[in-house]
């Protein structure tokens, strides 16, 4: 369900209350233990409020251990709509929600929808199909209760293509000018490109528009199908509404869900500049990385093929395909690094970031990556890992130069045993730190194969050793290149700086931005928010409610939220619920285990009274109990 107003702004005056809290003892006969029997945690004092403030907010009964002195005695407490804070929210939300409640109830009690038109009028804008009347064009639906569905043609952009609606009185259809008259998709979206439900700001009133996945429908382009979607939505609503009332009994929840589905974000021309700048930066970083990878590959070919081939003795490149196609001077593994074969002779400076497969499986081999002192190796069924001598005391003179081994599907290859062992011994002699070894996952020749550690556990295989999961190991030198270190640094920097933008670019472009002035200086975005998308009823949006806070200037795009900008003379005030799920868990614990006393359980006590400075906050206690750092516990 969603309620939509037009792009109007209402100024509201907010009352700010400064809160101070004072500590009292918690008297609890029972002190629930943490999960470990030998865990030690002392319940701390909990900050409560004085009697006058307690009566005003919570009514009675009054706790025995309230603060005696009232530091708020000169504070004029605001009027509540009821005898306590709970009544205030109940009464206020009920009053504000009442116009919508009447419409919701009306929708749930509709016995029968008007008959669907047998023929739809193909003309731009809204057309009304009333009972016993000829279809006629209208500016917008007349009624306040509307079931609605819209269709978007993906190839045509993000603007609506056609829509249908039904009210208790009539059916409606809407067609875009692009669909009817085949006009071009506008470069900048305007209000007149959207579907109108209000004539102007004077037409503001309570309206309820009900739709199912309205913002996500991208498939069909036929009016009748769209209309049948509305019928299905109507039938679904009448079944679900009574269940919704049972599961969400408080009017503040209902009002909040409607309001959060009605939000918009103001933006300026900087929104477009932000995208262009990020694209340019990401392209430059990736192009530098691509050129570096190809340069390293060509240098390696030159080194291992001339004057005589020596690739069979390379600790990393021995298992790739060094054969060449007829008429080609480059090996097949090099061709596989490029998007097309005709790029093999392209000068470096002419290559673009899209010409090179920067996540190709041959890239770690080109740079000679090691895990500690051990060279990396890839096995089809095990993913990336590293080779460790079975006998730590083995000497070079005891092993052959090469040994024939059987790889996947019976393919035979010659592994350069002496060269691999030589690299390991050289690294150890030069002080390369060792790594923690668990059990091996297979063996090849005189080496055990150990899988690289996967964040999800050893049952999963690592497909990309230069991914975010190994950022710490790369920065600490555990995972490192033995050759072409500058080019590897360029690749690693590009992977890091463009990771966020690569993941969020498409989400950015999916935002429907409507520009409100002729020059496109001021605009707004109406994000498709799911009001209660998690078990704790958090709102969900794949861009705005998942975007991380700015990391630094090096990670492209993380300052996305700063692109929400007000028009001149306006200001944005931010608010956030910190650790929402933890607070919910703490309240449940105090109600069920702590007999309703705030802070009676260790979990809630840490949240209410724990402090980072004396290591009594939740993250510090968890870190101490299981022997990890606070950052990892967090």
């Amino acid at each position: 369900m969603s309620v939509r107003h037009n792009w109007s702004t209402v100024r509201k005056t907010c009352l700010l209350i400064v809160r101070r809290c004072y500590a009292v003892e918690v008297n609890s006969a029972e002190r629930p233990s943490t999960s470990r029997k030998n865990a030690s945690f002392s319940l701390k004092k909990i900050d409560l409020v004085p009697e006058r403030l307690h009566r005003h907010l919570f009514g009675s009964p009054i706790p025995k251990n309230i603060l005696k002195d009232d530091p708020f005695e000169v504070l004029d407490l605001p009027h509540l709509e009821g005898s306590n804070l709970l009544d205030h929210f109940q009464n206020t939300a009920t009053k504000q929600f009442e116009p919508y409640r009447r419409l919701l109830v009306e929708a749930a009690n509709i016995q029968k929808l008007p008959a669907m038109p047998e023929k739809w009028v193909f003309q731009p804008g809204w057309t009304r199909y009333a009972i016993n009347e000829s279809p006629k064009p209208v500016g917008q639906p007349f009624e306040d209760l509307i079931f609605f569905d819209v269709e978007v043609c993906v190839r045509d952009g993000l603007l609506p293509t056609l829509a249908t609606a039904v009210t208790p009185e009539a059916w409606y259809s809407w067609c875009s000018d692009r669909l009817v008259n085949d006009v071009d998709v506008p470069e900048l979206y305007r209000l007149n490109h959207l579907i109108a439900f209000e004539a102007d700001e004077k037409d503001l009133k309570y309206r309820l528009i009900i739709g199912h996945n309205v913002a996500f429908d991208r498939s069909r382009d036929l009016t009748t199908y769209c209309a049948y979607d509305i019928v299905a939505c109507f039938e679904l609503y009448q079944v679900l509404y009574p269940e919704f009332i049972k599961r969400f009994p408080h009017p503040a929840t209902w009002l909040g869900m409607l309001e959060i589905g009605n939000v918009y974000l103001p933006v300026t021309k900087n929104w477009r500049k932000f995208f262009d700048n990020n694209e340019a930066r990401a392209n430059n970083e990736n192009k530098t990385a691509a050129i570096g990878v190809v340069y390293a590959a060509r240098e390696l070919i030159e080194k291992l093929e001339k004057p005589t081939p020596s690739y069979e003795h390379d600790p990393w490149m021995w298992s790739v395909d060094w054969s060449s196609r007829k008429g080609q001077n480059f090996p097949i593994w090099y061709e596989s690094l490029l998007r097309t074969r005709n790029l093999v002779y392209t000068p470096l400076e002419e290559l673009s970031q899209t010409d090179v497969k920067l996540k190709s499986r041959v890239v770690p081999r080109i740079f000679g990556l090691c895990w500690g002192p051990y060279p990396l190796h890839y096995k089809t069924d095990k993913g990336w890992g590293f080779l460790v001598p079975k006998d730590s005391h083995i000497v070079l003179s005891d092993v052959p130069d090469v040994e024939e081994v059987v790889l996947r599907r019976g393919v035979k290859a010659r592994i350069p045993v002496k060269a691999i062992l030589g690299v390991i011994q050289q690294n150890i002699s030069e002080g390369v730190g060792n790594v923690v070894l668990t059990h091996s996952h297979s063996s090849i020749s005189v080496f055990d194969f150990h899988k690289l550690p996967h964040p999800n556990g050893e049952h999963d295989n690592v497909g990309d050793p230069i991914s975010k999961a190994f950022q710490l190991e790369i920065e600490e030198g555990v995972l490192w290149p033995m050759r072409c270190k500058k080019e590897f640094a360029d690749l690693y920097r590009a992977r890091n700086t463009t990771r966020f933008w690569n993941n969020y670019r498409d989400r950015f472009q999916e935002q429907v931005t409507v520009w409100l002035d002729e020059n496109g200086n001021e605009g707004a975005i109406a994000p498709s928010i799911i009001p209660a998308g998690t078990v704790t009823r958090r709102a969900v949006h794949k861009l705005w409610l998942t975007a991380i806070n700015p990391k630094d200037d090096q990670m492209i795009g993380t300052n996305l939220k700063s692109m929400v900008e007000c028009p001149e003379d306006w200001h944005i005030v931010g608010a956030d619920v910190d650790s929402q799920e933890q607070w919910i868990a703490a309240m449940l614990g105090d109600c069920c285990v702590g007999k309703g006393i705030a802070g009676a359980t260790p979990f809630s006590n840490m949240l209410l009274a724990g402090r980072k400075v004396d290591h009594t906050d939740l993250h510090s206690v968890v870190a101490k109990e299981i022997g990890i750092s606070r950052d990892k516990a967090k």
Side-chain angles (χ1 to χ4, degrees):
M1 293 179 290
S2 62
V3 181
R4 295 288 179 199
H5 298 305
N6 71 345
W7 300 110
S8 61
T9 307
V10 180
R11 293 180 182 266
K12 295 183 179 179
T13 302
C14 298
L15 175 64
L16 300 180
I17 300 177
V18 179
R19 182 183 64 184
R20 296 175 63 193
C21 299
Y22 294 82
V24 296
E25 291 285 352
V26 174
N27 297 319
S28 176
E30 297 182 9
R31 295 203 172 191
S33 64
T34 55
S35 58
R36 286 179 54 183
K37 293 183 179 180
N38 61 344
S40 59
F41 180 80
S42 300
L43 298 181
K44 298 183 69 173
K45 295 179 180 180
I46 299 299
D47 297 333
L48 297 181
V49 295
E51 180 177 351
R52 187 174 76 103
L53 192 54
H54 188 283
R55 287 188 183 278
H56 185 76
L57 296 177
F58 309 115
S60 57
I62 305 298
K64 296 179 181 179
N65 51 2
I66 61 169
L67 192 68
K68 301 303 180 184
D69 297 327
D70 186 357
F72 303 108
E73 59 184 355
V74 297
L75 179 65
D76 186 16
L77 299 177
H79 171 72
L80 295 181
E81 296 290 336
S83 59
N84 56 54
L85 199 59
L86 291 178
D87 289 346
H88 172 79
F89 280 111
Q90 179 79 33
N91 297 334
T92 302
T94 298
K95 181 179 179 180
Q96 294 180 7
F97 184 68
E98 181 58 24
Y100 297 119
R101 188 196 66 81
R102 290 198 299 266
L103 292 171
L104 287 167
V105 172
E106 179 185 348
N109 292 323
I110 294 176
Q111 297 299 313
K112 186 178 180 181
L113 292 176
M116 189 183 300
E118 295 182 359
K119 185 177 181 180
W120 301 95
V121 177
F122 192 59
Q123 63 185 12
W126 282 110
T127 302
R128 189 172 193 265
Y129 308 83
I131 301 173
N132 299 325
E133 293 183 15
S134 299
K136 63 179 181 180
V138 294
Q140 63 280 323
F142 297 161
E143 296 78 16
D144 300 331
L145 172 60
I146 303 168
F147 285 89
F148 172 74
D149 191 54
V150 63
E151 305 294 341
V152 176
C153 180
V154 176
R155 295 183 180 180
D156 195 36
L158 299 173
L159 291 175
T161 302
L162 65 83
T164 55
V166 66
T167 73
E169 307 297 329
W171 276 90
Y172 293 84
S173 66
W174 181 93
C175 293
S176 68
D177 198 32
R178 306 182 321 283
L179 180 64
V180 177
N181 298 318
D182 198 27
V183 299
D184 294 334
V185 177
E187 181 180 355
L188 297 179
Y189 298 166
R190 311 287 183 181
L191 282 175
N192 62 294
H193 297 134
L194 303 183
I195 301 174
F197 282 96
E198 294 161 336
D200 50 41
E201 291 189 7
K202 297 179 181 179
D203 189 35
L204 294 179
K205 59 180 179 178
Y206 293 103
R207 287 187 174 91
L208 184 67
I209 303 172
I210 302 174
H212 180 259
N213 270 2
V214 169
F216 305 99
D217 204 332
R218 297 288 187 268
S219 56
R220 297 184 300 273
D221 201 13
L222 297 176
T223 309
T224 301
Y225 285 158
C226 188
Y228 276 117
D229 279 352
I230 290 181
V231 174
C233 174
F234 165 74
E235 295 172 349
L236 190 63
Y237 170 82
Q238 292 206 320
V239 173
L240 291 181
Y241 179 71
E243 185 66 23
F244 174 82
I245 296 299
K246 292 178 184 177
R247 296 185 61 184
F248 298 83
H250 203 286
T253 303
W254 308 335
L255 184 65
M257 292 181 70
L258 290 178
E259 287 294 330
I260 203 168
N262 194 36
V263 299
Y264 72 91
L265 301 170
V267 292
T268 68
K269 60 183 179 182
N270 291 332
W271 176 256
R272 301 193 300 276
K273 291 182 180 179
F274 177 76
F275 179 84
D276 294 339
N277 290 340
N278 287 345
E279 282 289 274
R281 286 184 61 194
N283 289 341
N284 287 338
E285 289 284 353
N286 287 328
K287 181 173 182 177
T288 300
I291 290 175
V293 168
V294 175
Y295 169 80
R298 291 180 179 178
E299 287 291 301
L300 193 60
I301 293 172
E302 187 74 16
K303 176 183 177 182
L304 297 181
E305 282 198 331
K306 298 177 181 179
T308 57
S310 59
Y311 50 79
E312 288 187 344
H313 297 278
D314 186 84
W316 295 272
M317 302 298 292
W318 59 272
S319 59
V320 300
D321 190 350
W322 281 87
S323 62
S324 301
R325 299 183 190 277
K326 187 175 181 180
Q328 293 279 12
N329 294 327
F330 286 101
I332 288 178
W333 70 259
Y334 174 74
E335 286 186 10
S336 69
L337 185 64
L338 304 170
R339 296 294 176 187
T340 60
R341 295 180 194 171
N342 57 5
L343 292 170
V344 293
Y345 296 106
T346 303
L348 289 176
E349 63 275 8
E350 295 181 14
L351 289 172
S352 72
Q353 67 279 1
T354 59
D355 292 335
V356 184
K357 302 174 185 176
L358 295 180
K359 294 185 179 181
S360 169
R361 200 175 294 161
V362 77
V363 170
R365 295 184 170 110
I366 291 173
F367 292 111
L369 290 189
C370 290
W371 182 259
Y374 308 112
L376 260 57
H377 179 65
Y378 182 84
K379 291 179 69 69
T380 303
D381 58 335
K382 305 291 183 183
W384 281 102
F386 52 97
L387 300 177
V388 180
K390 297 177 182 178
D391 181 0
S392 60
H393 301 292
I394 194 171
V395 294
L396 286 177
S397 58
D398 292 339
V399 299
D401 286 348
V402 295
E403 181 181 343
E404 188 174 89
V405 293
V406 178
L407 302 179
R408 63 188 184 279
R409 298 175 184 173
V411 176
K412 294 181 179 180
R414 292 167 60 83
I415 180 173
V417 180
K418 185 166 289 187
I420 294 174
L421 186 60
V423 163
I424 296 172
Q425 293 181 352
Q426 174 189 335
N427 287 339
I428 294 175
S429 67
E430 292 179 355
V432 176
N434 212 330
V435 292
V436 177
L437 299 176
T438 58
H439 66 89
S440 64
H441 298 85
S442 65
S443 63
I444 179 171
S445 183
V446 300
F447 304 102
D448 283 329
F449 176 83
H450 293 255
K451 291 170 58 174
L452 286 177
H454 194 283
N456 296 336
E458 68 169 287
H459 296 294
D460 288 346
N461 298 336
V462 172
D464 181 9
I466 317 177
S467 66
K468 180 183 178 182
F470 294 96
Q471 181 175 349
L472 181 63
E473 285 78 7
I474 293 175
E475 292 178 355
E476 292 183 348
V478 177
L479 182 60
W480 60 287
M482 284 197 69
R483 53 196 178 202
C484 299
K485 295 184 179 181
K486 177 187 177 300
E487 288 73 23
F488 178 80
D490 290 340
L491 172 64
Y492 176 65
R493 185 185 66 250
R495 293 282 292 270
N496 265 352
T497 57
T498 64
R499 182 183 298 115
F500 179 86
W501 186 242
N502 289 341
N503 291 335
Y504 280 81
R505 176 193 290 110
D506 291 342
R507 305 182 195 187
F508 183 100
Q509 292 180 296
E510 288 174 1
Q511 303 308 298
V512 180
T513 309
V514 180
W515 298 99
L516 307 177
D517 63 326
E518 192 62 30
N519 297 321
N521 292 324
E522 294 183 0
I525 297 171
S528 305
I529 289 180
I530 301 173
T534 70
V535 68
T536 55
R537 300 177 188 173
R538 273 186 182 266
V540 171
H541 187 273
K542 65 179 181 179
L543 175 64
W544 295 107
L545 298 180
T546 59
I548 62 176
N549 292 324
K551 293 290 186 181
D552 51 53
D553 290 338
Q554 300 303 315
M555 188 170 284
I556 299 171
T558 56
N559 56 335
L560 170 71
K561 292 180 181 178
S562 66
M563 290 299 103
V564 178
E565 297 178 293
C566 288
E568 190 175 354
D569 297 329
W570 287 80
H571 300 278
I572 293 177
V573 178
D576 185 27
V577 179
D578 189 40
S579 306
Q580 174 178 302
E581 284 77 13
Q582 293 180 17
W583 286 112
I584 293 174
M587 286 190 292
L588 288 174
D590 283 345
C591 289
C592 300
V593 181
K595 299 182 178 179
I597 300 175
T601 59
F603 191 90
S604 65
N605 198 272
M606 294 176 207
L607 286 176
L608 291 168
R611 297 190 305 164
K612 181 179 178 181
V613 292
D614 61 3
H615 311 295
T616 58
D617 68 298
L618 177 62
H619 302 314
S620 298
V621 172
V622 170
K624 179 182 177 182
E625 289 295 318
I626 61 178
I628 59 175
S629 69
R630 186 181 183 278
D631 285 341
K632 289 185 177 179
K634 186 175 181 179

